[in-house]
Amino acid sequence: MKRIYLDNAATTAMDPVVLDAMMPYLTEQFGNPSSIYFYGRKSRLAIENARKSVAKSLQVTPGEIFFTSGGTESDNMAIYSAVHDLGCRVIITSPIEHHAVLHAAERQVKDGFAQLKLVKVLPDGHIDLLHLEQLLKETDAKCLVTLMHANNEIGNLLDLHAVAGLCLTHGAIFHSDTVQTVGHYKLDLSHPGIHFATGAGHKFHGPKGIGILYISKEVQVRPMIEGGGQERNMRAGTENLYGVVGFAKALELAETRMEQDQQTIQELKSYLIARLRERGDVVFNGDVEGKSLYTVLNASFPRTAETEMLLMNLDLRGICVSGGSACSSGADLGSHVIRALGSHTDRVPVRFSFCRHNTKEELDQLLEALKACC
Ligand SMILES: Cc1ncc(COP(=O)(O)O)c(C=O)c1O
């Protein structure tokens, strides 16, 4: 059975060009980047070239890019640093953030280091910026605002610059989880007011287990992981050399294909919206035709005996989709994001997420399968 993969917000297939770029660093160029002899120097050069390339793409300086193990570590590090090094005593976030943010913030609250304030989410899934402003105005203590650029479940896009502006006005630190937008949009992280941003290689056809944390030169923080002096003393541990090289190559590739990919993937999304609408029983979650990530579409189906098992039945037909974030796919734990939106909670949500490898024919097969399943 030829499988149809429509869960690209969970992870993407690595591009063979990326693998080719990584291979030498898995084989003959194996030196520890901290070693001073030839092999070490070659590895160090590869890492610093990758850092330069990533920094250029995100319009920041190489000294502001730190390689980590992925989005989760970067989110944790940003939140930890803001509380422990920058004196943030209040964390303002939303109920629809990724658990890498929500659980890291809750940990700081549970341990007594910070207080949590949740910004309201509008029915269309956008963050209520007026409420954010009100929270910032009424809070005397130093705030960390952590809001994601694109929601991984419903695709809604945040106005990064507007939030950065509010944070600047109120002297707040701003972290944005940009895991779903790095490699998908041209980002300018040097925009005033953005202090931390995160990325993960596997979301744009790069390798898993490698990510970045952008830390603006405006803020000085200490490492969360102690040990060696890697990553300019910010993140100890022998570097994931081939991962770093793969991350940079995947980002470079994404940039060269960005316009073309955005157009073809948006066409797929629009096609699926139109065809699902024809069914008459589907409602969409989020601002699907407005400020929305072109790679994600979240639709809810009526809850029936058949749709209770929808994800599994689609899998039996070779179609890979999820109910929400990767951690809730398979087991039907329900989505905290859909719950927070408060509408269509009696329905079965399905997240379809696309990449450049998907085709209209695959979507036609999906639609046929959906017809058979519900
Ligand atoms: C928005 C968002 N943040 C963070 C993460 C975690 O990234 P990683 O899997 O690289 O740790 C993900 C991926 O699942 C994500 O979609």
Side-chain angles (χ1 to χ4, degrees):
M1 174 172 27
K2 189 176 176 302
R3 294 198 181 267
I4 297 176
Y5 185 73
L6 290 167
D7 200 16
N8 290 279
T11 197
T12 54
M14 197 158 74
D15 195 297
V17 175
V18 175
L19 181 62
D20 282 350
M22 291 166 68
M23 274 315 272
Y25 299 95
L26 282 153
T27 52
E28 70 270 20
Q29 291 182 34
F30 57 85
N32 187 319
S34 298
S35 302
I36 54 162
Y37 44 76
F38 174 82
Y39 285 126
R41 291 199 307 276
K42 286 283 264 189
S43 298
R44 167 67 46 219
L45 187 64
I47 288 181
E48 295 316 319
N49 282 341
R51 197 187 313 280
K52 268 190 221 156
S53 160
V54 170
K56 185 162 178 263
S57 165
L58 301 174
Q59 306 190 53
V60 297
T61 62
E64 295 172 306
I65 295 294
F66 298 88
F67 290 108
T68 66
S69 66
T72 302
E73 183 187 325
S74 298
D75 284 339
N76 271 265
M77 191 169 159
I79 291 166
Y80 181 92
S81 303
V83 171
H84 291 272
D85 302 324
L86 304 178
C88 296
R89 292 292 165 261
V90 172
I91 303 175
I92 300 178
T93 189
S94 86
I96 61 169
E97 300 302 302
H98 192 274
H99 282 149
V101 164
L102 282 178
H103 292 177
E106 282 160 8
R107 172 69 180 268
Q108 295 305 320
V109 175
K110 196 162 153 248
D111 291 352
F113 296 114
Q115 192 198 337
L116 195 68
K117 292 193 178 183
L118 289 180
V119 63
K120 283 184 198 150
V121 178
L122 300 168
D124 64 1
H126 286 302
I127 300 298
D128 184 342
L129 294 187
L130 289 176
H131 186 227
L132 173 62
E133 189 171 17
Q134 187 190 326
L135 289 177
L136 284 165
K137 266 190 195 153
E138 72 188 25
T139 308
D140 293 328
K142 186 155 182 187
C143 294
L144 163 68
V145 172
T146 169
L147 292 171
M148 68 207 307
H149 188 197
N151 187 280
N152 55 304
E153 294 198 30
I154 57 172
N156 277 39
L157 284 166
L158 179 79
D159 186 341
L160 265 191
H161 292 181
V163 175
L166 281 176
C167 289
L168 265 187
T169 306
H170 295 277
I173 296 294
F174 179 31
H175 160 244
S176 185
D177 176 331
T178 49
V179 164
Q180 292 290 342
T181 50
V182 167
H184 296 278
Y185 291 92
K186 185 78 194 142
L187 299 185
D188 175 9
L189 297 181
S190 73
H191 187 84
I194 302 173
H195 299 101
F196 298 99
T198 53
H202 68 110
K203 304 291 185 180
F204 50 94
H205 304 289
K208 294 171 183 52
I210 182 73
I212 53 150
L213 175 61
Y214 160 71
I215 307 178
S216 159
K217 55 181 174 305
E218 303 288 322
V219 292
Q220 298 295 318
V221 300
R222 293 178 306 156
M224 191 174 74
I225 299 176
E226 300 280 359
Q230 290 90 351
E231 292 300 283
R232 299 180 316 292
N233 279 323
M234 276 302 297
R235 201 255 183 191
T238 301
E239 297 89 337
N240 176 357
L241 174 62
Y242 41 87
V244 166
V245 169
F247 186 103
K249 189 69 193 175
L251 191 57
E252 182 196 315
L253 214 61
E255 213 169 46
T256 58
R257 310 184 46 117
M258 202 170 275
E259 247 177 74
Q260 181 194 337
D261 285 355
Q262 271 185 13
Q263 194 188 327
T264 48
I265 298 169
Q266 180 61 58
E267 275 168 18
L268 290 176
K269 176 173 168 176
S270 301
Y271 177 73
L272 189 56
I273 292 173
R275 292 293 313 275
L276 285 175
R277 223 173 236 145
E278 284 168 12
R279 288 175 53 107
D281 64 347
V282 171
V283 291
F284 297 103
N285 299 302
D287 186 19
V288 291
E289 287 171 303
K291 288 184 206 136
S292 182
L293 194 54
Y294 55 93
T295 51
V296 169
L297 177 65
N298 196 309
S300 283
F301 295 80
R303 192 173 289 277
T304 63
E306 286 130 11
T307 57
E308 286 285 1
M309 306 291 283
L310 187 53
L311 297 187
M312 219 153 359
N313 284 332
L314 287 173
D315 181 38
L316 289 174
R317 289 174 164 78
I319 294 170
C320 312
V321 292
S322 74
S325 62
C327 45
S328 63
S329 55
D332 189 9
L333 301 175
S335 151
H336 69 286
V337 175
I338 302 299
R339 264 200 310 277
L341 294 187
S343 47
H344 320 313
T345 45
D346 53 332
R347 289 171 159 261
V348 176
V350 181
R351 177 184 69 181
F352 307 98
S353 51
F354 322 100
C355 79
R356 60 173 176 258
H357 301 140
N358 293 124
T359 61
K360 196 163 151 282
E361 289 67 39
E362 287 182 332
L363 296 187
D364 287 334
Q365 287 175 47
L366 162 73
L367 289 156
E368 281 305 310
L370 282 170
K371 222 184 261 174
C373 291
C374 46

